[in-house]
Amino acid sequence: MASTDGTDARSSRRLLAISAVPVNPGLDGYALRVRGLLSELAKRWSIVLLAPADGAGAARPAPRLPDGIERRTFPQGIAPGPVFPPPTDVASRLRAFVRELVEETRPGAALLWSGTEFLALGEPCLPPAVADRIDSGALTVWRGLRSTGLRRMPGALSTLATAIRHERAMVRRIPATVVVGEDDARWLRRLGGRASVHVVPNGVLVEEPPALAEEHAAPTVTFTGVLCYRPNVEASLRLAGEIWPSIAAAVPGARLVIAGREPLPEVLALGSRPGVEIHADVPDLRSVLVQAWVCVAPMWSGAGIKNKVLEAWALAKPVVLSPMAANGLALDAATAPYVAGDVARFAERVVTLLRSAEERRKVGLASREIALRHHGWPGAADRIETLLERAMAAPAAG
């Protein structure tokens, strides 16, 4: 029964949002997604955000969190990880902490990002929840097995088993699970045997793009990403070793720029190859992207939507991408021809764009229009809100 002072009515629009990563600075796609969604949801919900303390470093472009969001931090030393549940002792302490927070704030719903879903499993005090898994961890590990050596295979198989157990329980026991791409959704529906897995693509902040005159004087191909993340490392190695030589031969004077945070030694070593430059720990990747003639996403492992593609599209840059990198992206007649599934075709598509300013402009403007129409944060937040409201209504309906 609702209280006479209206407490239940107010708490029904109070959202407990829990992130396993710091929301500032926005140094990866996880943090950018949290910030983008919360910036929109805060227009309609009273939000309590539980996340690790902010980190150091410059933030990437993203909407700033509204001042009205109530910020809480995990106790020191017991924050969850970004993919899988923490060890039992840490999980127990986190559950106790969240239980007290729920008692204090009385939220009507919860939004749990990747790595925190375990808080809703067997925890009766938590309100109806939606799990934003972002990517399927099991799918990411499964795809990575193809490049896993024999020495690392036992550990990878153990991680795969952990991911399958966690994601199966998540899908079966939480009212709605969200991922960014259809490949991830199909995988989780098979694992959990439920239709409660929904696709909510990533968004991107679309500002006025720099003029194409800001392209670098030399033909420039650019790949960006977190360069200690294994799928990006593998993409960098394949790009420089198998794709770039034929591009460089076809377009004399071309340069390949690989830019991102924390490059591993094997990525840094690529800078010794002709025409290849490694730009490490660039504070704002837009300064690299605006100079690109063509951006690339040669992903053959991993999962989810590639923010690197959306960021380039938002700046009206054409992107050549692999079928895996196209997961969860809207394509049209201008952009679809630049999805290439093999090395030779990939290189040929890049060369076509490098040789034609008119084609780059056409594809770049079409890409920017896709970002505006299909990958804005307001639309993504609308879909999350619908799932939250369904979760809240489900107990009464059932």
Side-chain angles (χ1 to χ4, degrees):
M1 179 179 295
S3 63
T4 57
D5 65 359
T7 300
D8 287 354
R10 290 195 301 271
S11 65
S12 68
R13 299 298 293 179
R14 183 173 296 134
L15 176 66
L16 174 61
I18 306 180
S19 168
V21 306
V23 294
N24 290 310
L27 294 177
D28 56 27
Y30 188 135
L32 290 174
R33 184 170 173 88
V34 172
R35 291 166 60 173
L37 288 172
L38 288 184
S39 293
E40 294 299 323
L41 289 171
K43 298 173 182 177
R44 291 158 278 181
W45 295 72
S46 171
I47 296 178
V48 178
L49 170 62
L50 175 61
D54 289 347
R60 291 169 60 189
R64 291 187 59 83
L65 285 177
D67 294 335
I69 293 179
E70 183 179 346
R71 300 284 301 276
R72 302 295 184 93
T73 58
F74 288 105
Q76 188 171 4
I78 67 165
V83 182
F84 302 126
T88 303
D89 58 330
V90 175
S92 178
R93 293 167 64 192
L94 283 172
R95 287 181 188 276
F97 180 80
V98 171
R99 200 174 297 126
E100 293 178 1
L101 181 59
V102 169
E103 179 68 23
E104 174 192 346
T105 59
R106 300 289 184 178
L111 178 56
L112 309 175
W113 273 285
S114 180
T116 72
E117 307 95 343
F118 75 95
L119 292 165
L121 306 182
E123 186 55 68
C125 80
L126 207 68
V130 170
D132 186 0
R133 184 61 173 164
I134 307 177
D135 307 333
S136 168
L139 177 57
T140 300
V141 177
W142 175 259
R143 285 173 168 168
L145 290 179
R146 289 175 294 183
S147 58
T148 300
L150 290 177
R151 293 180 60 184
R152 295 171 52 214
M153 186 62 72
L157 291 174
S158 176
T159 301
L160 177 62
T162 298
I164 289 173
R165 286 194 300 269
H166 174 62
E167 293 183 338
R168 179 181 289 125
M170 173 187 68
V171 171
R172 290 182 174 181
R173 296 167 64 184
I174 296 178
T177 300
V178 171
V179 286
V180 299
E182 190 57 46
D183 289 352
D184 306 78
R186 282 193 294 267
W187 185 270
L188 291 183
R189 290 174 193 135
R190 286 196 298 268
L191 281 184
R194 300 286 190 275
S196 58
V197 182
H198 306 268
V199 175
V200 178
N202 271 350
V204 65
L205 182 63
V206 182
E207 300 174 322
E208 284 303 312
L212 293 182
E214 293 194 41
E215 289 181 339
H216 194 277
T220 300
V221 177
T222 299
F223 174 70
T224 61
V226 179
L227 298 177
C228 58
Y229 177 52
R230 200 67 219 172
N232 287 338
V233 172
E234 293 171 0
S236 299
L237 297 176
R238 193 167 190 178
L239 174 61
E242 301 179 33
I243 299 172
W244 178 246
S246 58
I247 296 172
V251 184
R255 57 199 285 264
L256 170 61
V257 174
I258 299 174
R261 288 194 298 120
E262 303 175 17
L264 295 181
E266 56 198 302
V267 176
L268 289 172
L270 298 176
S272 64
R273 300 180 179 230
V276 180
E277 303 174 17
I278 308 299
H279 294 207
D281 302 312
V282 178
D284 184 351
L285 286 174
R286 284 181 302 181
S287 63
V288 175
L289 289 172
V290 295
Q291 297 186 51
W293 289 29
V294 181
C295 295
V296 292
M299 314 303 297
W300 276 272
S301 60
I305 281 184
K306 307 309 168 194
N307 284 320
K308 57 178 63 65
V309 177
L310 293 179
E311 290 168 349
W313 280 3
L315 292 170
K317 296 295 179 178
V319 181
V320 179
L321 59 163
S322 66
M324 187 172 295
N327 175 38
L329 296 172
L331 299 171
D332 64 6
T335 55
Y338 292 94
V339 178
D342 63 80
V343 167
R345 173 71 172 169
F346 200 101
E348 183 270 327
R349 294 281 76 194
V350 173
V351 170
T352 295
L353 288 167
L354 290 177
R355 286 176 171 171
S356 173
E358 181 180 353
E359 181 71 1
R360 291 199 301 276
R361 179 181 292 274
K362 182 189 79 172
V363 177
L365 292 177
S367 302
R368 175 178 162 79
E369 184 63 24
I370 291 174
L372 281 167
R373 285 190 173 190
H374 301 287
H375 293 285
W377 288 120
D382 285 346
R383 295 158 100 172
I384 293 287
E385 182 175 39
T386 297
L387 295 174
L388 288 167
E389 291 173 342
R390 287 180 186 172
M392 293 167 65

